[in-house]
Amino acid sequence: MAERTTATTVAPKPAAPPVGRSTPSSAAGAGPSLRKVSKKGAARPNRVVLYAVEGWGKSSFACHTPEPIALMTKGEDGLRTLLRNGLVPDTAHFDDEAETWNELLMAVQSLIVEEHSYKTFVLDVLNGAARLCVDHVARMSFSGSLEKFNEWGRGWKLVPDEWQRLLDHLGRLNAKGVAIVLLAHADVKTFKNPEGMDYDRYTPRVPPQMWELTQEWADMILFGQLETFVQSERKDAPKGKAKGGQDRLLYCQRTAVADAKNRHGL
């Protein structure tokens, strides 16, 4: 007697999505989605850059921020003098200065991963951090030679990626609920005016390769100046006599004098 066979129908497997595409279920929880839309900004402490002329009081300003902890870069110990003379409130600070780029990054990292009650991180100063960054790139890529670093601008091409590491560290600290205050000295530089004659203005003492990234990253850029009046006895006199210099001014918006900005309507 012949055996009877039963035919079995096998359902075809669903076609795999094309390479580079995700199925709706896998994409729902990752990246921008209409399931996650807000109309109000999420609460986050400020990212502030304050640069000012000498003697304006940058460090004193930072000592009055909420529960600050300060990190001084190599050679910048003015905060200790202010504390020793009782000119600012008692302010927490790292006992050791950041003398290398890695020490600076590690100090910020410690605030990210360790438990603490500080609400403001103060870097004193930003241009000191810039020097550490340049020294690090020169040591790692040019055998420590600044001459080779500057040759054909090769070193400066590597600086932005290294500087971004610091901004990324600060961004993670900021996301943890800590405000960031970066202090910097001011310089006077000539502005290349595309619409007319060039003129001098104040800028932070930070190389442009680093400043461009920092400027975009910051919520507030503040410039501190001492109010000064210039008087001249004759209209044709090449120079006048300056008076004032006691009252402090704080620029919150960009002017022909200096870069500044804020996202608070100040």
Side-chain angles (χ1 to χ4, degrees):
M1 185 176 178
E3 294 184 0
R4 230 161 65 179
T5 59
T6 304
T8 303
T9 303
V10 179
K13 294 182 179 180
V19 175
R21 294 186 182 179
S22 301
T23 61
S25 59
S26 64
S33 170
L34 284 175
R35 299 185 183 185
K36 297 185 295 181
V37 176
S38 303
K39 287 189 176 182
K40 295 186 180 295
R44 175 176 58 77
N46 286 310
R47 303 172 174 181
V48 182
V49 177
L50 168 62
Y51 70 107
V53 298
E54 299 298 327
W56 185 88
K58 298 182 293 295
S59 298
S60 300
F61 178 96
C63 289
H64 288 85
T65 57
E67 298 183 34
I69 179 169
L71 174 64
M72 291 166 277
T73 56
K74 183 178 180 180
E76 295 289 341
D77 58 356
L79 175 59
R80 290 196 185 96
T81 304
L82 293 172
L83 289 167
R84 186 168 57 250
N85 294 329
L87 297 177
V88 293
D90 290 345
T91 302
H93 57 280
F94 289 87
D95 289 337
D96 297 324
E97 300 172 7
E99 297 190 347
T100 68
W101 181 243
N102 284 334
E103 288 180 0
L104 171 57
L105 296 180
M106 289 173 62
V108 178
Q109 180 68 12
S110 69
L111 290 171
I112 297 172
V113 300
E114 297 179 22
E115 292 298 323
H116 58 80
S117 60
Y118 302 115
K119 295 183 179 179
T120 307
F121 171 69
V122 178
L123 179 59
D124 191 1
V125 290
L126 191 62
N127 39 288
R131 288 194 299 270
L132 298 180
C133 181
V134 168
D135 290 345
H136 176 79
V137 173
R139 185 171 62 255
M140 298 300 294
S141 301
F142 300 96
S143 303
S145 170
L146 289 177
E147 182 179 355
K148 293 180 180 178
F149 173 93
N150 287 307
E151 191 175 45
W152 304 105
R154 293 187 300 165
W156 292 109
K157 294 177 182 177
L158 303 178
V159 161
D161 286 344
E162 194 61 42
W163 188 252
Q164 187 63 50
R165 291 180 62 201
L166 173 61
L167 297 181
D168 290 344
H169 274 58
L170 294 174
R172 287 192 288 273
L173 179 58
N174 186 236
K176 191 177 177 179
V178 178
I180 310 296
V181 177
L182 310 178
L183 306 179
H185 298 296
D187 273 339
V188 176
K189 293 185 178 180
T190 300
F191 175 69
K192 299 296 183 180
N193 182 15
E195 297 182 339
M197 296 178 63
D198 297 343
Y199 56 91
D200 291 342
R201 64 197 310 267
Y202 289 99
T203 62
R205 193 179 298 170
V206 179
Q209 295 86 348
M210 305 172 183
W211 178 240
E212 289 176 4
L213 294 173
T214 309
Q215 194 172 22
E216 295 175 359
W217 173 88
D219 298 315
M220 302 177 69
I221 297 175
L222 308 176
F223 169 62
Q225 169 66 303
L226 299 173
E227 188 173 27
T228 305
F229 303 95
V230 179
Q231 297 178 342
S232 176
E233 296 179 356
R234 304 193 322 268
K235 292 183 178 180
D236 59 345
K239 292 184 179 180
K241 293 183 178 181
K243 295 183 178 181
Q246 287 82 37
D247 295 330
R248 290 175 172 83
L249 302 178
L250 186 64
Y251 290 78
C252 304
Q253 296 180 344
R254 189 185 190 280
T255 68
V257 173
D259 282 333
K261 74 171 186 178
N262 75 92
R263 295 167 180 164
H264 297 275
L266 301 177

